[in-house]
Each structure stands twice: as C-alpha cells, then as structure tokens.
Amino acid sequence: MSGSKKKKITKAERLKLLQEEEERRLKEEEEARLKHEKEEMERLEMQRIEKEKWNQLEAKDLERRNEELEELRLLEGCFPEAEKLKQETRLLSQWEHYLQCDGSPDPSVAQEMNTFISLWKEKTNETFEEVIEKSKVVLNLIEKLKFILLEISPCDLQDKDIIQYKGSILQLQELLHLKFNVATEILLRQATTLADLDSGNMEKIIKDENVTLYVWANLKKNPRYRSVRFSETQIGFEIPRILATSDIALRLLHTHYDHVSTLHLVSTPSKEDTSSVTESVKDDVDNVKKTISKEAEEKSKQQEKGSHLIQEEEIKVEEEQGDIEVKMSSAEEESEAIKCELEMKVLSETILAAQLLLVENLSEKPEFFEDNMVDLCQFTTLGGIYHLDILELPPQCKRVKGWMIVEIRKEGLQKYTYPPETTEDLETENAFPPIEVTLEVHENVIFFEDPMVARWDAEGKHWRTDGISNVFYKPKERLVTFSLETFGPLTLIQDAHINMPYQSWELRPLDVNKVLLTVTTVFTEIQIQIKENLCMLSSIKLRDKKHVSILEGKWMTPIPFIIALKEAGLNIFPTRYSHFYVIINNKVPLVEVKAYRQMALLSSAFAFGWSKWNLLCNSTKVVFKVREHLTEECTETPNWAILMFSGDRAQRLKITEDSEAFSEALKEETEFHSTLYHMLKDCASKEAMEKVRSSNCQFVNSVCHMLLSTRLLSYS
C-alpha cells in the first residue's frame, strides 16, 4: 500500500532540479548568443566582402567610364549622320520637283502656294469629277506640309515658317471644301435630266479613293416616299413627311480624311510647349559653340604666328616653299574639320532635344470641358468625316428652242434649315422628328469596340455627342444606324488609348539592318518590320485571328507610317497628354531616351523584350530582357538575361523572369558598365559586336524613332 504511493520530492531535490534547469537554460542561451554572434560576424564579413567587391567594381567602372562614354559618343554619331542624310534627301526632292516642271507648286515656297491657290479660285464651273481629280494634288500638298511640320524639329523651324505652312494647309482645306460645294450645286442643277425613270427622283453616287459622294434630289415630292436608300448599298435615310414634300436634296459627302477637327486641335508642339526642353539644350549648344570657337581661334592664332615666322625667314630653297604650302593646306583642313565637328555637335544636341520631346509628359491637362463635348486628347476620329446636308434644290436647267437655260443664284448652294429656327407648330417634335441615318464604316478602319458617333459644333469648334440617339452598330456588315436631330459634319470616334498600356513587347533582328517589333495589347498583336529608313506593317492579329490590312506590305518612312497606323485605328503611339488617360509606369525622360538610343544601336544583333520587373523598379531605372540573336530561327526556350539601366549605369541582374521577388543584386561574375553597349560586349560574340558596329545609320535612327514613338518602357 505504502509502496504504491508516490515518493515525495524533497525541498533539496526540488532546488537541485531548478538549478539544473537554470544551468541548462543559461547554457542554451549562451550557445544561441554565440551562434548569433557567429552568424552576425559571418553576415558582416559577407557584407564587407560584398561592399569591397562593389567598391572594386565601382572603381573599375569609374576608371573606364570616360573611355566607354567616348566610344558610345562615336557610335551615336549615326543619329546626326542620319539627320544629315534626311536633310540631303529633302533638298534632292525639292530639286527633282523643280526639274519636273509639272505645274504643281513647291509647298514650302509661299509665293508658289499663293499662285496655285489664286489660280484655282479663279477657275469656275468645274464638275465633281474634275474637282476630285484636282483634290489629289491638293491632298498631296497638304500631306507634304504636315510632314514638314512633323519631321523638322521645332527648334529648327522659324515661327514665320510654321505660320506660313499652317496657313497654307488651312487655305487648301477650306478651298477644297468650297469647290466640292460648288460642284455639288452644278450637279444638282441637272437633277431633272439625271432623274431615275422608276422613282422620278435623282440619285447619284461618285466614288474615289479619297472621297465618296451620295446625292439624292427630291423631284417628285411624294409624301409616301420616305425611305431613301442608295442603290447597291445599305446607306440611306428615313425622312419625315415635311422633307418628303419639300424641294430638297440630301447630300452625304464622305471624305476619307479629317479636315474638320484638324483645323482646330491637331497641330505641332508650339514653341511655348517645347521651351522647357529646348532652352537647356540651346544653352548647351551655345556653350559647345563658344568652346569650339575659342579652340578654333587659338589654333588659328597659332597658325598665323607660325606663318608670320615663316614669312620673316629667308626662303632660299624651293623645297622649303613646298613645306610651307603643305603646312598652310593642313591648317585649312584642320579648320574645316573643327567646323564640321561643331556642326555635328550642334546637330547631335538638337536631335537629343527633339527625342526628349517625343517622351515628354505635359504637367497640365488641356482645359476642358462641357458635358457631351469630345476630348480629342482622349478620343480620336476614325474613318474620315461624313458631311451630311439637307440642301435647297437649285433652279433646274430648261431646254428652250435648242438652248439650255438655267437660273444661277448669287448666294450659291443653300442649306435647308431642319428643324426651322422658328415654327408656329406646337407639336414640333412630331412635325420635325429626328432623322434616322445609316452609314457604312470605312473598310480600312478597325474598331475594337462599338464606335461612338459625334457631330461637329461649328460655333464652339468641337465635336459633341448630344443630338444623336439610338446608336446601333452591326460589326459584320460594318453599318452604324442612329437618329440625328440636326445635320452637319459627323464622325465616328474611338478611345485613342484603347490599346494602352501594352501587355508585352519584343524587338528582335531578322536580317542585316532589319528587325521585327511586336507589340501585344488586350485586343491585338501588331508586328512591324523596320529596315534602313523604312517601316512596314507585317501582320495584325485580332483576338488570335489574323486580320488583313491594306497597310500590310507597304514600306513607308517612320512618320507617314505612324500616321497611317493611327488613321487605321491601330494607335500604339502615346502623346504628351496620354498619361492623363492611361495608368503608366512612368520613367525619367532622359533615362528612357538613352535606353531607346542604345537599344536601337544594338538591335541588329540582340533581341530585347518586356520584363515584369520593369513595373517594380523606380522611375529612374528601366528593366528589360535581352539576348544575343544572330539567326532568324527562334529557340523554344530562349536564354534571356535581365538587364537594369539607369541612364549612366547598366548591370545584369541575378533574378530571372520566373523569380519570386525583385532584387537589384548583381549576377555572379558580371560587372556593371556605363552603357548597355559595353555591358553586352562582355558576354557577346565577336560576330554580334561586328554586326552592331556595321549597322546602317538610317536603320538605327528608324528603330530609335519607333521605340521613342511607342514608349514601350513607360506604357507596358
């Protein structure tokens, strides 16, 4: 019984157990402290070694920095070289135009443009077909003037030239529309002779590559004839009884270009807008000029002193005279070289200023807006302008004793006001209901969402969406139907930033001086080929299905190419206002420009691609993928390296695209450099670097312009 009872622990035993436990705890704490101290020492030692390595790398980078930057400067000489070639091409085209003597004016010469406009104004009684033919020359002149304003840097254009070019564009646009109105009047005077035998009304369709005219004249005034449909089309109107019984004509003039909104908003950057960027560059250029001028003066003084000393000496031998002539000619050559160097430096600075303008984000949003007004910084017009007009039917031609007699009114073509400004009818809505209109969307334009319809407010000089209701779009038939309260210019609009931000991008070489740029967005994948000074749309995929575009296979210089893509609805080119409408990964402009310039230099031998880590680094750095790419065949699992660039330092990162977290840790056994060129040179083959050094200057410039225009590093 007593044996089964638990033995009681004595006080001494309890104290002993507590003491042993305390000793064990102290021992464990001491072991943990020693372990922590050891780990801390190891960590500090690792930090010291890492810092020492980093300091060594920084010292090495600093030591070769000037040499690397000088080599980069020589490579970037391709940009002013390409600009000089562009200037020479412009001069050559002016000379070729002069030699052609085809009667068309030089758009850059004010006198020739004024003569052309005056002579065309004086010409009367032109048929619609004749005006269409003349419009081809006019539209070509407008296009040339726009390209001059876009291609030449604002720094290089004088204010008077900008005013002259914009003035010429406005005059040509206004005169062209006036001529179309006069030609319409001439056509409508013959309505009775052109009347349809079945309906008794006149219907006429005139189609051209730039303009399509639909005209219907109400000759019979049949109150039951209220559905107007143009033959072999779905285009037409549902008109109310009051119009069905009136002497009116309906005109739909579809211009495949936009000369309405461009008169108001679309323009080149003004001097005020660009001053923030250009002023500092101009100061730099002035400093360069002063420095080189001083050097030139000092050298010329030394040369003069040398020549005076030579002249003071007695020249006895003919060979000495020869030596002096050689010295004098070499002095002239040296002076010419200095002058050339000055020009190239100034040109380089001007180009850099123009490139910075392409990535500039304006700090203030444009002043706006009433309800129902269209912000043309956020939206874009697509498919041209539909000029919808209800016209008063002019007096008709009459045959009298073999003569055709017609009354010509001084006021010309008159618009029929609908609904009337004043009416005694109390039920105005019933008497003058909205008119149902069906339009056809231009075949070469892509809408990624249902288009919105906007009307032009002539007083306010802007597009509006009020006064338009019951909009219905049939994508397969490409028809848009809506009800319209008042007639006037109409257009279809789409969000200009519907394809921004991009989901991914890749730039890879295809051949010598030829690359493929692929930009993937939510709706589409666009592939662009670039070679020498030309760009081409290679392919478009809409929702993973290939789409055929009229632009495919057409090589164009970068600026016309960008305009053509925008007009087709394929806008992947942000403006200075785009950051107000798109959530972007904004980067410091100079860092972005330097990255694009160096990527373009390397693009003939290296592929570049989007990296998810670019979102996680700050605005002073950019991160992207890169790999050597010498053959057109793409490997299934390409070995991409992750590069980080801050404008003055390039480094290869330890992380990969599949890593769990972002880290700026340097890849083992790599160094950092002042340029991307020297960073990749460390691990590239001789063949790749030889390809880079032998790249065509126009090709490099075109790739750079496309990268600057798409802004892949900020808008992905």
Side-chain angles (χ1 to χ4, degrees):
M1 211 50 194
S2 61
S4 63
K5 289 182 180 178
K6 289 183 180 178
K7 189 180 178 183
K8 287 185 178 180
I9 300 171
T10 62
K11 190 176 181 181
E13 286 173 335
R14 191 182 294 114
L15 285 170
K16 189 179 178 182
L17 285 169
L18 287 170
Q19 192 175 356
E20 284 174 358
E21 194 178 326
E22 181 66 18
E23 284 173 1
R24 189 164 56 251
R25 186 182 65 78
L26 289 171
K27 188 180 178 183
E28 284 173 359
E29 281 181 2
E30 182 64 16
E31 284 174 355
R33 186 184 65 78
L34 289 170
K35 186 182 178 185
H36 176 72
E37 281 180 3
K38 187 182 178 184
E39 285 174 354
E40 183 64 16
M41 284 177 69
E42 285 174 356
R43 188 183 66 80
L44 290 170
E45 181 63 15
M46 284 290 290
Q47 273 188 354
R48 188 191 65 77
I49 292 167
E50 286 295 320
K51 193 175 181 182
E52 198 174 300
K53 280 182 183 177
W54 189 263
N55 290 337
Q56 285 173 359
L57 289 172
E58 281 195 325
K60 196 172 181 181
D61 180 44
L62 192 64
E63 189 182 326
R64 65 193 172 201
R65 181 174 175 76
N66 290 336
E67 188 184 328
E68 287 185 351
L69 292 176
E70 180 59 26
E71 191 174 354
L72 178 67
R73 189 185 68 79
L74 292 172
L75 286 167
E76 288 186 336
C78 64
F79 295 115
E81 210 175 305
E83 185 59 35
K84 285 193 86 173
L85 283 171
K86 274 162 71 175
Q87 290 172 1
E88 287 168 12
T89 304
R90 279 197 292 270
L91 289 170
L92 183 63
S93 65
Q94 283 180 332
W95 176 245
E96 285 173 351
H97 177 269
Y98 174 76
L99 291 176
Q100 279 176 352
C101 296
D102 59 358
S104 64
D106 182 339
S108 61
V109 180
Q111 192 177 352
E112 289 188 27
M113 287 300 295
N114 292 337
T115 304
F116 175 82
I117 290 166
S118 299
L119 289 173
W120 198 29
K121 275 181 182 176
E122 291 168 8
K123 199 168 183 181
T124 56
N125 297 325
E126 291 173 286
T127 65
F128 210 93
E129 288 81 0
E130 286 173 335
V131 175
I132 281 178
E133 200 56 40
K134 189 76 169 183
S135 73
K136 291 173 184 176
V137 177
V138 174
L139 291 171
N140 187 40
L141 290 171
I142 291 170
E143 203 172 75
K144 283 180 179 178
L145 285 165
K146 283 181 179 177
F147 290 160
I148 290 170
L149 288 168
L150 290 168
E151 282 189 337
I152 301 174
S153 166
C155 315
D156 295 337
L157 278 173
Q158 294 184 12
D159 286 336
K160 64 180 182 73
D161 291 331
I162 294 172
I163 293 165
Q164 175 205 315
Y165 298 151
K166 287 186 176 180
S168 295
I169 290 170
L170 282 169
Q171 281 183 288
L172 288 169
Q173 289 176 344
E174 288 168 356
L175 182 56
L176 180 59
H177 195 66
L178 176 67
K179 288 285 184 180
F180 278 133
N181 284 343
V182 173
T184 302
E185 185 186 5
I186 292 168
L187 182 64
L188 286 173
R189 284 187 205 141
Q190 306 165 44
T192 50
T193 58
L194 297 170
D196 181 65
L197 294 173
D198 295 331
S199 66
N201 295 319
M202 174 256 197
E203 181 193 299
K204 184 79 173 175
I205 301 174
I206 301 173
K207 284 194 175 185
D208 182 69
E209 58 186 300
N210 301 312
V211 178
T212 306
L213 174 73
Y214 302 89
V215 178
W216 177 82
N218 189 15
L219 299 174
K220 285 293 181 183
K221 296 188 280 295
N222 183 349
R224 285 180 291 183
Y225 194 92
R226 294 167 56 180
S227 182
V228 179
R229 284 286 176 275
F230 290 95
S231 56
E232 297 180 9
T233 74
Q234 297 284 331
I235 297 167
F237 312 90
E238 294 294 329
I239 59 174
R241 181 185 177 86
I242 191 166
L243 291 181
T245 56
S246 300
D247 281 322
I248 56 120
L250 297 175
R251 179 184 72 167
L252 167 56
L253 176 64
H254 181 197
T255 60
H256 303 169
Y257 48 81
D258 180 0
H259 284 177
V260 177
S261 45
T262 49
L263 299 181
H264 176 56
L265 267 178
V266 181
S267 60
T268 55
S270 66
K271 295 281 182 182
E272 291 174 9
D273 294 336
T274 58
S275 61
S276 59
V277 178
T278 55
E279 282 304 316
S280 60
V281 175
K282 283 180 180 175
D283 292 340
D284 291 344
V285 172
D286 289 338
N287 292 335
V288 170
K289 283 183 179 179
K290 285 174 187 174
T291 306
I292 297 181
S293 298
K294 282 179 184 177
E295 288 175 6
E297 280 175 22
E298 286 172 11
K299 288 187 179 181
S300 62
K301 281 177 184 177
Q302 288 172 4
Q303 288 159 9
E304 281 174 21
K305 285 177 184 177
S307 63
H308 285 313
L309 289 169
I310 292 165
Q311 285 170 6
E312 286 169 9
E313 289 178 0
E314 292 181 7
I315 303 167
K316 295 179 181 179
V317 188
E318 289 179 7
E319 289 143 3
E320 288 180 5
Q321 288 178 349
D323 289 342
I324 293 162
E325 286 173 12
V326 168
K327 284 179 183 177
M328 292 300 285
S329 66
S330 66
E332 285 174 12
E333 285 173 11
E334 199 173 338
S335 176
E336 191 64 35
I338 291 166
K339 187 182 173 185
C340 184
E341 187 183 352
L342 170 65
E343 284 177 3
M344 292 303 274
K345 280 193 176 183
V346 171
L347 190 56
S348 292
E349 293 292 340
T350 308
I351 289 164
L352 182 60
Q355 290 175 338
L356 281 165
L357 286 175
L358 287 173
V359 298
E360 181 189 28
N361 290 335
L362 290 191
S363 55
E364 290 184 16
K365 198 173 180 178
E367 288 182 13
F368 212 62
F369 270 103
E370 295 174 21
D371 289 341
N372 302 312
M373 277 176 62
V374 177
D375 178 3
L376 282 186
C377 294
Q378 182 179 4
F379 295 93
T380 184
T381 64
L382 284 180
I385 305 297
Y386 301 87
H387 296 270
L388 283 176
D389 295 297
I390 307 174
L391 305 169
E392 291 181 5
L393 205 57
Q396 296 299 295
C397 295
K398 293 177 183 177
R399 186 175 291 276
V400 179
K401 295 180 182 179
W403 291 83
M404 290 297 289
I405 297 174
V406 64
E407 179 191 344
I408 298 174
R409 293 175 179 173
K410 285 184 180 179
E411 58 268 23
L413 193 66
Q414 292 296 297
K415 290 186 180 179
Y416 180 94
T417 307
Y418 181 89
E421 292 175 2
T422 57
T423 177
E424 293 177 2
D425 190 349
L426 296 174
E427 295 182 6
T428 307
E429 287 183 14
N430 295 331
F432 306 101
I435 298 168
E436 187 181 290
V437 180
T438 301
L439 300 177
E440 197 173 84
V441 177
H442 196 290
E443 60 184 348
N444 298 328
V445 171
I446 297 172
F447 280 95
F448 295 100
E449 291 178 344
D450 289 359
M452 292 182 281
V453 184
R455 63 176 182 86
W456 182 249
D457 179 1
E459 287 183 14
K461 302 290 182 189
H462 50 246
W463 293 103
R464 302 185 66 91
T465 54
D466 55 345
I468 300 162
S469 57
N470 304 322
V471 180
F472 180 69
Y473 178 57
K474 295 179 181 177
K476 287 185 179 179
E477 295 87 350
R478 297 182 69 81
L479 294 173
V480 59
T481 303
F482 52 92
S483 296
L484 187 64
E485 290 177 12
T486 56
F487 273 41
L490 296 172
T491 192
L492 303 178
I493 59 172
Q494 180 173 260
D495 185 349
H497 309 97
I498 198 163
N499 284 311
M500 299 176 208
Y502 322 127
Q503 290 189 320
S504 65
W505 59 270
E506 185 180 294
L507 177 73
R508 63 180 174 87
L510 289 178
D511 206 342
V512 180
N513 295 318
K514 190 175 182 180
V515 296
L516 181 72
L517 173 63
T518 304
V519 179
T520 306
T521 75
V522 173
F523 294 100
T524 182
E525 180 190 274
I526 300 170
Q527 291 194 326
I528 299 165
Q529 284 189 33
I530 307 166
K531 68 170 185 181
E532 295 177 358
N533 65 329
L534 300 170
C535 304
M536 179 194 75
L537 181 64
S538 180
S539 74
I540 312 166
K541 283 182 185 174
L542 300 179
R543 296 175 181 87
D544 298 324
K545 291 180 182 177
K546 190 161 176 12
H547 176 83
V548 179
S549 168
I550 194 171
L551 295 174
E552 284 181 46
K554 289 185 178 179
W555 289 97
M556 292 178 259
T557 52
I559 288 174
F561 175 73
I562 288 168
I563 292 170
L565 276 192
K566 283 183 174 181
E567 288 176 350
L570 298 168
N571 185 15
I572 51 169
F573 308 101
T575 66
R576 297 175 297 155
Y577 302 102
S578 294
H579 61 288
F580 291 118
Y581 309 104
V582 184
I583 298 169
I584 68 167
N585 181 23
N586 194 34
K587 301 296 179 182
V588 172
L590 191 58
V591 173
E592 205 175 345
V593 169
K594 283 184 175 181
Y596 295 144
R597 282 165 71 101
Q598 293 181 44
M599 284 162 69
L601 282 169
L602 294 157
S603 62
S604 57
F606 293 89
F608 296 89
W610 172 82
S611 170
K612 67 181 181 184
W613 304 121
N614 189 44
L615 287 163
L616 298 175
C617 66
N618 61 39
S619 63
T620 62
K621 295 167 185 172
V622 293
V623 177
F624 46 85
K625 298 185 296 187
V626 65
R627 65 187 171 92
E628 189 176 306
H629 188 111
L630 295 177
T631 56
E632 201 168 332
E633 294 83 23
C634 294
T635 55
E636 288 183 10
T637 54
N639 186 22
W640 292 102
I642 306 294
L643 253 63
M644 186 170 75
F645 183 58
S646 64
D648 53 10
R649 175 174 289 177
Q651 62 190 77
R652 185 173 175 182
L653 300 182
K654 191 176 183 179
I655 55 171
T656 67
E657 200 64 13
D658 300 320
S659 299
E660 290 181 2
F662 177 67
S663 167
E664 293 188 9
L666 204 65
K667 173 86 172 170
E668 298 90 347
E669 298 178 4
T670 64
E671 300 175 355
F672 46 73
H673 290 268
S674 301
T675 73
L676 289 175
Y677 172 81
H678 293 92
M679 183 72 244
L680 293 177
K681 190 179 177 182
D682 276 358
C683 57
S685 64
K686 286 183 180 179
E687 189 185 349
M689 297 319 292
E690 186 55 43
K691 250 188 164 184
V692 168
R693 283 188 287 269
S694 60
S695 295
N696 178 285
C697 66
Q698 288 181 306
F699 160 74
V700 173
N701 192 55
S702 296
V703 173
C704 184
H705 188 88
M706 200 54 61
L707 293 174
L708 288 161
S709 299
T710 50
R711 296 192 63 188
L712 302 170
L713 295 170
S714 282
Y715 279 80
S716 292

